[in-house]
Amino acid sequence: MSVKHGLLALLAEEPMGVYRLRKEFEARTGGSWPVNIGQVYSTMQRLERDGLVAKVAAPHEDVDLYEPTETGRAEADAWWRTPVARGEVGRDELVIKLALAVSAVGVDVRDIVQAQRSETMRAMRDFTRLKSQVPAPGEPVTSPELAWSLVLDHHTFTAEAEVRWLDHIEASVARAVLTPSSAGTTTTDRDEAEVPR
């Protein structure tokens, strides 16, 4: 999540101070990606240094307000129009754990899958409970409620995909025929082992 671009997009609507920016960012993302006030301060300092925002006078307030410069508005507009690249996949602890587990000696992958499936299903129940607090389709809804509903939908769909992936892993492990020597060996070791003498 680009906090920098998110803050720039908020400022494109109206000038805001650091505390209000933090509050708006968290409210509009349903609190899913909390940012601390220090992160917002340092981001605003970098944006100002880079000529993307400027301080404006705040009438009757003792708070620095920021607004985007023309360059900053262009940057925010470009961010809205540019798709999020999926080429670079971030590190996912679960993926790393399961990738290592299939080649680790004495590790039961099925136990890991089952434990993770239980945790993911628990999270899905929590998302469903939270979703019941959002107005139903067709009922009046505020912008923050709609934003929170969409964030919950994303979490739910991601969890559903994870359960399907865990099912796939379980089936793949059940079908796989691993030789004892294949776990923990390098390609070179296996190549050497296969050379006829």
Side-chain angles (χ1 to χ4, degrees):
M1 170 75 199
S2 173
V3 173
K4 167 186 138 178
H5 288 104
L7 296 178
L8 258 180
L10 288 171
L11 289 174
E13 295 177 6
E14 65 178 287
M16 293 184 217
V18 169
Y19 286 96
R20 180 153 174 236
L21 271 170
R22 176 181 179 230
K23 183 179 173 183
E24 287 288 326
F25 183 88
E26 290 186 354
R28 296 198 195 190
T29 58
S32 292
W33 296 279
V35 290
N36 67 49
I37 199 69
Q39 183 180 8
V40 178
Y41 268 117
S42 62
T43 301
M44 296 314 298
Q45 289 171 346
R46 284 192 305 276
L47 289 172
E48 187 176 23
R49 177 201 68 203
D50 296 342
L52 299 173
V53 301
K55 289 180 185 170
V56 294
H60 314 298
E61 291 185 38
D62 190 22
V63 173
D64 286 333
L65 297 183
Y66 295 88
E67 68 178 3
T69 61
E70 286 306 312
T71 305
R73 286 183 190 281
E75 178 93 5
D77 187 50
W79 181 64
W80 286 125
R81 290 181 285 117
T82 305
V84 175
R86 295 293 185 196
E88 290 185 30
V89 179
R91 291 182 184 171
D92 183 312
E93 183 179 355
L94 177 59
V95 175
I96 293 168
K97 180 190 285 189
L98 285 165
L100 293 174
V102 296
S103 62
V105 176
V107 175
D108 189 338
V109 176
R110 290 169 299 185
D111 285 347
I112 296 171
V113 167
Q114 187 54 44
Q116 186 63 44
R117 185 184 291 113
S118 296
E119 170 57 22
T120 305
M121 295 299 288
R122 183 206 57 75
M124 286 173 62
R125 286 189 299 275
D126 288 347
F127 301 147
T128 301
R129 182 181 47 77
L130 290 169
K131 185 76 172 177
S132 70
Q133 300 169 10
V134 177
E139 293 182 10
V141 63
T142 64
S143 292
E145 288 172 331
L146 179 58
W148 176 224
S149 175
L150 295 175
V151 169
L152 279 174
D153 288 342
H154 177 267
H155 292 332
T156 301
F157 297 154
T158 300
E160 289 171 353
E162 183 170 286
V163 169
R164 286 195 313 272
W165 180 66
L166 291 168
D167 292 344
H168 172 74
I169 289 171
E170 196 168 50
S172 296
V173 167
R175 286 190 310 265
V177 180
L178 296 174
T179 61
S181 63
S182 66
T185 61
T186 65
T187 304
T188 306
D189 294 336
R190 274 188 248 121
D191 292 344
E192 289 174 0
E194 292 171 1
V195 173
R197 302 257 183 238

